[in-house]
Amino acid sequence: MNIENNPLIQPSAASLARASLGLTAIALGLCGLLYSAAAAGLGQALFPDQANGSMIVENDRILGSSLVAQPFAQAKYFHPRPSAANYDPMAMAGSNLARTNPELHKAVEERLKRIAAQEQVAEERIPADLVTASGSGIDPEISAASALIQVRRVAEARHLPEQAVLDLVQQQTIQPDWGVLGKARVNVLELNLALDRMQ
């Protein structure tokens, strides 16, 4: 008896197609629909602020997200890290330039000179995060040291006492997680909004 040609042992092409389509439909239903709906629902129930993008809303107007950097350039505002993505969340990316790349060295040197002149500090005092872009290109935070070297400029531009601006930076400083992970940092958007409210 030839097993290969026996219709009782070998499934037909139609039954194979039916089984494949059925498995595909079940996988899409479970993984593509039910799992996604459950994860989204759980996120909304447990972490509604984060699930909705951590939006900052004032007077029914969205001012931005605490998770996304914005390009502040005016002297009266604290400035964020440089962005290789031009602060665009849809184009998040680092510069992808190696540490030995001459273009990166040139960009860092230019930023050092500009910031040293702008903040009236020596180049060696400028923290690395003010002259290098983050991996995402939209990092919303700068180190506390990066905020502190901007205090004088912001205070002068706003005609405020330096101590008042310094106190605000200290209030807005986020300490390392659990006291050991990361370093003291400041969310630039939240700090600038607090400055505007102060005036």
Side-chain angles (χ1 to χ4, degrees), residues 164-185:
V165 178
L166 181 60
D167 290 345
L168 186 65
V169 169
Q170 290 170 341
Q171 289 167 21
Q172 292 286 322
T173 298
I174 304 160
Q175 295 304 321
D177 297 328
W178 298 294
V180 293
L181 295 179
K183 59 183 177 180
R185 60 202 186 277

Side-chain angles (χ1 to χ4, degrees), residues 1-22:
M1 181 180 183
N2 189 348
I3 295 176
E4 290 180 5
N5 297 325
N6 189 330
L8 298 174
I9 297 173
Q10 291 296 320
S12 67
S15 67
L16 285 175
R18 193 168 44 251
S20 297
L21 290 173

Side-chain angles (χ1 to χ4, degrees), residues 3-4 9 16 19 37 48 54 66-67 78 86 89 101 114 124 130 137 151 154 164 172-173 181 194 198-199:
I3 295 176
E4 290 180 5
I9 297 173
L16 285 175
S54 299
S66 62
L67 302 176
F78 285 87
N86 202 26
N101 192 307
R114 179 178 47 79
E124 52 271 13
L130 277 186
V151 166
V154 171
Q172 292 286 322
T173 298
L181 295 179
M198 190 169 76
Q199 288 196 305

Side-chain angles (χ1 to χ4, degrees), residues 38-165:
L42 203 57
Q44 287 290 342
L46 298 177
F47 309 103
D49 185 49
Q50 292 90 333
N52 292 313
S54 299
M55 296 297 176
I56 298 173
V57 181
E58 281 187 10
N59 301 322
D60 296 324
R61 195 165 64 99
I62 295 174
L63 302 176
S65 167
S66 62
L67 302 176
V68 179
Q70 292 187 14
F72 291 97
Q74 292 176 288
K76 67 178 185 173
Y77 288 115
F78 285 87
H79 298 169
R81 292 185 73 164
S83 171
N86 202 26
Y87 304 99
D88 180 1
M90 302 305 289
M92 291 189 342
S95 68
N96 294 330
L97 298 176
R99 293 180 67 164
T100 55
N101 192 307
E103 283 184 44
L104 178 62
H105 287 270
K106 183 181 175 190
V108 167
E109 286 299 321
E110 287 171 358
R111 290 172 189 152
L112 277 170
K113 285 180 175 40
R114 179 178 47 79
I115 293 169
Q118 177 180 278
E119 308 300 344
Q120 297 178 16
V121 295
E123 289 183 13
E124 52 271 13
R125 281 196 54 212
I126 299 170
D129 58 313
L130 277 186
V131 294
T132 56
S134 67
S136 68
I138 57 167
D139 188 350
E141 297 168 343
I142 56 175
S143 64
S146 292
L148 291 174
I149 71 163
Q150 299 183 60
V151 166
R152 183 205 52 78
R153 168 181 48 81
V154 171
E156 281 182 9
R158 288 180 178 261
H159 308 292
L160 288 170
E162 272 190 47
Q163 189 59 49
V165 178

